Amino acid sequence: MEIVSKAKSHGGVQGVYRHASDATGTPMTFAVFVPPQVDSGPVPVLWYLSGLTCTHANVMEKGEYRAAAAQHGVIIVAPDTSPRGENVPDEPGNWQFGSGAGFYVDATQAPFSTNYNMYSYIVDELPALIASQFPADMKRQGIFGHSMGGHGALTIALKHPDRFKSCSAFAPIVNPSTADWSRPAFEKYLGKDETAWREYDAVSLIEDGRRFPEFLVDQGTADSFLTTGLRPELLAEACRKAQIPLRLNMREGYDHSYFFISSFMADHIDWHAARLK
């Protein structure tokens, strides 16, 4: 693991790191904030998955999470959103697919299946690295994310309720199998058989019997993607039928940007910290 940068912040350390990934076959960069409480021993881990077009840097620079993470003594891990490199298949100019748009799936279709294995990277490879290199209590993990990352957080939590004690999301894509802006990516990554898509779709997973103790979701009412890509009412209905507690906060006047995310970031970290402790 290569140290790209380190800086002291809120008594802890904000670092950026790079390593060679077996899952993606590329170098992968990620950010980790380590709070000051690690001086007394391992602390809980909270994973933040970013949205379309983003890297680790978006939340690190604009998410305003460090004060709350330092207050509660929580490590924050922010991975990248896709493999990157000259030899990685991509569609330049298409912000909804390829570079910056891995959708946290393991692609099954060539040529994307060689590199686009973000599900395995987030679920298996990177946690093993975090456990070996940082003072992380891996028995206390939570996960959250934004937009495409909210989709990733919900699906990963639903498939690993034994690992994650908490899950929340900002403006998640709750039913990507039926959303206009995610269906084309799913077909390219996973093929035309839509039954294979259900493993990466929160609403479908709940319909198919997957469960999680509770969810927290914040959604802006002025989000331009609200009615076409996000549609939180579909998650609310699925959770209602499955009797999964969902706190859905519709935030009046907020959009899809990090101005929205940073406004409620501390609320989410407070919520996770209560469940991780």
Side-chain angles (χ1 to χ4, degrees):
M1 186 181 72
E2 171 191 355
I3 299 172
V4 177
S5 66
K6 275 188 176 181
K8 188 168 183 176
S9 181
H10 293 278
V13 175
Q14 176 64 69
V16 178
Y17 308 89
R18 184 182 297 118
H19 74 118
S21 167
D22 291 331
T24 69
T26 67
M28 294 294 290
T29 303
F30 61 97
V32 180
F33 175 72
V34 177
Q37 289 87 341
V38 296
D39 291 343
S40 300
V43 299
V45 181
L46 185 52
W47 296 82
Y48 179 87
L49 306 184
S50 294
L52 288 162
T53 76
C54 291
T55 69
H56 68 282
N58 294 75
V59 68
M60 185 179 74
E61 295 170 358
K62 298 182 288 186
E64 301 181 20
Y65 57 78
R66 279 172 288 272
Q71 175 188 347
H72 290 293
V74 178
I75 287 174
I76 306 287
V77 182
D80 202 349
T81 54
S82 76
R84 300 177 190 270
E86 292 183 2
N87 297 321
V88 176
D90 190 17
E91 290 186 2
N94 182 359
W95 63 276
Q96 296 173 327
F97 183 77
S99 182
F103 274 94
Y104 304 102
V105 304
D106 279 352
T108 58
Q109 305 300 300
F112 309 108
S113 55
T114 299
N115 305 111
Y116 287 87
N117 297 300
M118 290 302 296
Y119 179 83
S120 290
Y121 178 70
I122 297 297
V123 170
D124 298 320
E125 185 174 22
L126 190 54
L129 184 64
I130 296 298
S132 69
Q133 298 293 323
F134 296 90
D137 182 353
M138 303 303 282
K139 294 182 179 179
R140 294 186 289 164
Q141 296 185 68
I143 190 166
F144 67 148
H146 169 232
S147 193
M148 178 185 72
H151 136 75
L154 292 170
T155 57
I156 290 171
L158 281 164
K159 291 197 280 188
H160 297 278
D162 55 333
R163 179 185 305 186
F164 297 99
K165 296 183 179 297
S166 57
C167 177
S168 72
F170 299 98
I173 308 172
V174 303
N175 192 199
S177 296
T178 64
D180 291 345
W181 68 340
S182 48
R183 281 182 57 85
F186 270 38
E187 183 172 332
K188 292 171 187 175
Y189 287 138
L190 303 172
K192 294 184 178 182
D193 181 3
E194 296 185 18
T195 59
W197 303 4
R198 299 182 71 84
E199 280 295 303
Y200 299 105
D201 184 303
V203 169
S204 297
L205 285 168
I206 293 171
E207 291 174 348
D208 293 344
R210 300 280 188 164
R211 296 293 182 265
F212 199 76
E214 58 181 330
F215 294 118
L216 167 65
V217 172
D218 273 86
Q219 172 65 63
T221 62
D223 192 320
S224 60
F225 304 114
L226 178 59
T227 59
T228 56
L230 307 175
R231 304 171 298 164
E233 69 277 4
L234 300 180
L235 178 65
E237 178 63 11
C239 286
R240 184 191 66 79
K241 290 181 178 179
Q243 297 184 321
I244 299 174
L246 167 66
R247 184 190 302 177
L248 174 59
N249 299 318
M250 298 300 297
R251 303 295 189 176
E252 188 66 33
Y254 284 89
D255 60 15
H256 199 68
S257 71
Y258 268 89
F259 296 113
F260 157 62
I261 297 168
S262 62
S263 297
F264 303 103
M265 178 63 80
D267 292 347
H268 279 243
I269 293 177
D270 291 350
W271 189 84
H272 283 278
R275 286 149 182 81
L276 294 176
K277 291 182 179 180

